[in-house]
Amino acid sequence: MEFKRKMKSGGGMTSVWMKSGGEMMSVRVKRERERERVVEEEDEDDDDVSVKYGRFEPEDRRSRHCPYLDTINRSVLDFDFEKLCSISLSHINVYACLVCGKYFQGRGLKSHAYIHSVQFSHHVFLNLHTLKFYCLPDNYEIIDSSLEDITYVLKPTFTKQQITSLDKQAKLCRAYDGTTYLPGIVGLNNIKANDYANAILQALSNVPPLRNYFLEEENYRGIKRPPGDIMFLLVQRFGELMRKLWNLRNFKAHVSPHEMLQAVVLCSKKTFQITKQGDGVDFLSWFLNALNLALGGTKKRRTIVTDVFQGSMRIFTKKLPHPDLPAEEKEQLLLNEEYQETMVESTFMYLTLDLPTAPLYKDEKEQLIIPQVPLFSILAKFNGLAEKEYKTYKENFLKRFQLTKLPPYLIFCIKRFTKNNFFVEKNPTIVNFPITNVDLREYLSEEAQNMHKHTTYDLVANIVHDGKPNEGAYRIHVLHHGTGKWYELQDLQVTDILPQMITLSEAYIQIWKRREDDETNQQGA
């Protein structure tokens, strides 16, 4: 009994000691955290300290009479790049110096922004997350309506009325730097070798229903994704890029897709990069599918991507006997069930159009002639009758295709590149196509023809590849719906172009818009 009592009292002493030690530890942790809070000023630093402690203090009089507003230099402000501190490279609680345009972390004592304000006498800062303005080192919030244009450039917003009027607007906007631009017809910065992605992003930004969806963040903000899912970053960054491209109050007449491309590199696991030329069709295919999945798209659940671009077709497949077999054996095999034609229904996001093989040998006169082919000749692949042979490693198949559903926006990818074990070869054949009135009714099955009221399409975007297969450059022709005029965009360069010139280029990817009842023919055809 005595032994147990001693142990009990000893245990009590230990627990008391541990308790007091724990309190000492918790006090130390609290002090450390308080020190960190003052230095780092994390995202909660915008809360009024006086409110936390149950007291109310009037607003700092200096908030509405900051003497440093005239030091702001709007011409150096660029919010297109990653929101990282230029010193710590942290993305937590980053402030932009509105005098020199650089990014710094925190605003408390010893923080990078605080030190910068003291060293260089730069006093006005913007929190890139909360969109609040501060004066440092005095550390008070600045409240002034004249700063609203800066927050709007950082985070443009659109009302439903503004969105519906975008395609009716023909007026030029004037940027802060004095240049004029048409919203949507805006150059994209080529960071190193990302023109292939720029062309695709500019094409997609000129597809009105897709653009309108992403201009309103509310449309996709509530989509739930699994924990740790990084693919939704694509959706967020694409939305941000759309809003910047269509901003009517930009500071400059071009946009950098830096943050969008960082998301592409991350989400594609470096399949597509900023520093290495990529293939436009490969990128388009991956991007549309990744966007659809990130928005919660499945075989049963549709998204804005499938609503705009997805059509369907029937694929008829027939296995062929090996060509080296004797004729009698081939005939016998063709009677087997394995060699009978099968049919499957399949969806598509784009149609691949095959070019006829370019001539290998030319005489002196033909050297000046670039082979040409009409668009309808290569569209015949989808008439349900034309058969094409496809070879695999072991077997050969005959396939034919017939369209059963046409989407509101139809993408053509013209197959210019063929890859073999040694190199990639480019077919320079020019495709002759009209810019308007392409009727695809004859490529639909009979029952599909009865279901489709509208089957006529007009071109809205034409992506061109110039130069060698693995190098080369991309440019794009887009139709501005408000003016009815065509423009050529190549990275930062934006020029108007005559519609007749578009058909002379080596078209690679095209987006066509289905014409509805109330629409008349476009201008510039």
Side-chain angles (χ1 to χ4, degrees):
M1 289 286 291
E2 197 176 335
F3 179 75
K4 285 182 182 175
R5 201 178 294 121
K6 280 184 180 176
M7 282 293 292
K8 187 179 177 184
S9 64
M13 285 173 66
T14 306
S15 64
V16 168
W17 181 85
M18 284 176 70
K19 188 179 177 186
S20 64
E23 284 176 358
M24 286 169 65
M25 185 68 75
S26 65
V27 168
R28 192 179 302 134
V29 168
K30 279 181 183 174
R31 283 178 183 162
E32 286 293 329
R33 284 181 181 165
E34 185 65 20
R35 197 176 293 123
E36 282 177 16
R37 187 187 67 78
V38 173
V39 175
E40 289 292 327
E41 294 276 342
E42 292 195 21
D43 286 337
E44 291 181 5
D45 61 0
D46 302 312
D47 295 335
D48 193 338
V49 176
S50 61
V51 175
K52 283 184 180 179
Y53 292 98
R55 302 192 307 272
F56 176 79
E57 292 179 7
E59 180 188 288
D60 193 320
R61 285 188 61 205
R62 297 171 295 179
S63 287
R64 297 185 186 272
H65 303 92
C66 180
Y68 301 112
L69 293 186
D70 60 347
T71 64
I72 295 172
N73 185 358
R74 285 170 171 79
S75 62
V76 298
L77 300 183
D78 188 345
F79 302 124
D80 293 345
F81 291 90
E82 263 192 303
K83 313 296 188 286
L84 294 176
C85 172
S86 56
I87 296 171
S88 69
L89 301 183
S90 169
H91 57 83
I92 297 170
N93 201 29
V94 178
Y95 289 77
C97 172
L98 302 187
V99 183
C100 66
K102 292 180 181 176
Y103 295 170
F104 299 98
Q105 187 178 18
R107 73 167 200 274
L109 292 168
K110 299 183 183 175
S111 69
H112 298 303
Y114 185 94
I115 293 165
H116 177 76
S117 72
V118 173
Q119 278 185 341
F120 297 95
S121 294
H122 293 178
H123 300 293
V124 189
F125 290 80
L126 167 63
N127 185 307
L128 296 174
H129 178 65
T130 64
L131 308 187
K132 290 184 179 182
F133 297 87
Y134 294 92
C135 180
L136 296 181
D138 296 347
N139 204 10
Y140 60 83
E141 185 181 348
I142 302 169
I143 300 167
D144 196 294
S145 58
S146 70
L147 302 173
E148 191 267 339
D149 64 327
I150 296 174
T151 53
Y152 193 85
V153 166
L154 174 58
K155 199 167 185 181
T157 53
F158 292 81
T159 63
K160 283 183 167 55
Q161 189 178 355
Q162 284 175 324
I163 291 171
T164 52
S165 64
L166 281 176
D167 292 328
K168 299 168 190 168
Q169 185 172 310
K171 282 194 305 180
L172 286 166
C173 295
R174 187 174 292 278
Y176 178 78
D177 64 4
T179 52
T180 54
Y181 68 97
L182 275 169
I185 309 296
V186 176
L188 280 177
N189 188 23
N190 187 351
I191 299 162
K192 188 163 185 187
N194 53 275
D195 57 336
Y196 71 97
N198 284 0
I200 299 296
L201 295 170
Q202 281 165 323
L204 295 177
S205 78
N206 278 277
V207 174
L210 188 74
R211 173 203 68 198
N212 295 353
Y213 178 87
F214 281 97
L215 287 181
E216 283 191 276
E217 199 176 354
E218 292 74 29
N219 288 330
Y220 54 85
R221 187 184 280 150
I223 293 173
K224 292 179 181 176
R225 299 301 300 157
D229 176 48
I230 60 165
M231 298 305 284
F232 198 69
L233 190 63
L234 273 185
V235 176
Q236 293 170 321
R237 293 285 183 261
F238 188 60
E240 288 166 12
L241 183 66
M242 289 302 101
R243 292 190 283 278
K244 285 177 180 177
L245 286 172
W246 287 90
N247 185 359
L248 285 79
R249 295 155 58 188
N250 259 328
F251 281 179
K252 53 191 186 309
H254 64 269
V255 171
S256 175
H258 190 269
E259 287 191 292
M260 174 78 246
L261 293 172
Q262 290 281 31
V264 165
V265 173
L266 181 68
C267 295
S268 71
K269 296 178 181 174
K270 298 186 179 178
T271 302
F272 301 101
Q273 300 196 29
I274 301 171
T275 55
K276 188 180 174 186
Q277 184 69 283
D279 180 81
V281 173
D282 290 347
F283 176 66
L284 174 69
S285 175
W286 173 83
F287 186 70
L288 288 180
N289 283 301
L291 211 56
N292 181 46
L293 289 171
L295 289 167
T298 61
K299 284 187 177 179
K300 292 183 180 177
R301 189 188 302 161
R302 297 183 67 81
T303 67
I304 185 66
V305 178
T306 50
D307 285 344
V308 172
F309 295 117
Q310 192 178 78
S312 61
M313 67 167 85
R314 288 178 184 154
I315 303 173
F316 300 88
T317 307
K318 193 181 346 181
K319 187 177 176 182
L320 294 175
H322 196 281
D324 295 340
L325 291 174
E328 291 177 8
E329 199 172 330
K330 281 185 188 175
E331 286 176 24
Q332 191 63 39
L333 283 172
L334 288 171
L335 300 173
N336 294 349
E337 189 179 339
E338 187 187 348
Y339 289 86
Q340 302 309 304
E341 188 172 68
T342 59
M343 187 272 286
V344 292
E345 292 270 357
S346 176
T347 57
F348 64 85
M349 290 283 200
Y350 60 88
L351 296 177
T352 302
L353 306 183
D354 304 317
L355 288 174
T357 308
L360 292 174
Y361 303 103
K362 305 170 188 174
D363 59 27
E364 289 178 11
K365 291 179 183 176
E366 281 186 328
Q367 279 184 348
L368 302 172
I369 299 171
I370 298 172
Q372 299 188 23
V373 61
L375 176 65
F376 291 101
S377 293
I378 55 177
L379 270 172
K381 172 183 177 179
F382 299 100
N383 64 11
L385 301 171
E387 291 183 316
K388 189 180 177 192
E389 190 172 340
Y390 289 82
K391 297 179 180 181
T392 64
Y393 179 66
K394 289 182 178 178
E395 299 168 316
N396 294 357
F397 296 91
L398 265 187
K399 291 191 178 187
R400 56 192 181 94
F401 307 89
Q402 189 167 42
L403 304 180
T404 53
K405 186 191 170 192
L406 292 170
Y409 285 80
L410 184 59
I411 302 175
F412 291 159
C413 294
I414 297 165
K415 193 173 180 183
R416 291 205 171 273
F417 302 105
T418 49
K419 299 174 185 176
N420 59 33
N421 294 334
F422 305 104
F423 57 90
V424 179
E425 192 175 8
K426 182 180 177 184
N427 189 328
T429 301
I430 298 291
V431 178
N432 294 321
F433 54 90
I435 292 204
T436 58
N437 287 320
V438 171
D439 191 353
L440 300 178
R441 183 168 292 276
E442 65 178 283
Y443 306 104
L444 290 166
S445 61
E446 282 187 34
E447 60 270 34
Q449 286 183 17
N450 298 327
M451 288 169 57
H452 281 70
K453 189 178 178 185
H454 306 289
T455 55
T456 302
Y457 284 79
D458 299 318
L459 188 69
V460 293
N462 180 59
I463 295 174
V464 178
H465 182 274
D466 299 307
K468 295 177 182 177
N470 293 324
E471 301 164 14
Y474 284 84
R475 55 193 167 98
I476 177 173
H477 305 125
V478 288
L479 174 72
H480 185 261
H481 294 84
T483 59
K485 291 181 179 176
W486 282 90
Y487 290 86
E488 180 175 278
L489 294 87
Q490 186 162 20
D491 297 327
L492 293 176
Q493 293 180 331
V494 179
T495 52
D496 50 359
I497 185 172
L498 292 170
Q500 305 89 283
M501 302 300 291
I502 295 169
T503 59
L504 302 176
S505 57
E506 293 180 19
Y508 188 34
I509 301 166
Q510 296 181 328
I511 302 180
W512 297 78
K513 178 184 185 294
R514 188 170 64 200
R515 196 183 296 173
E516 306 298 336
D517 264 344
D518 55 346
E519 292 176 331
T520 54
N521 203 343
Q522 300 174 40
Q523 297 177 33

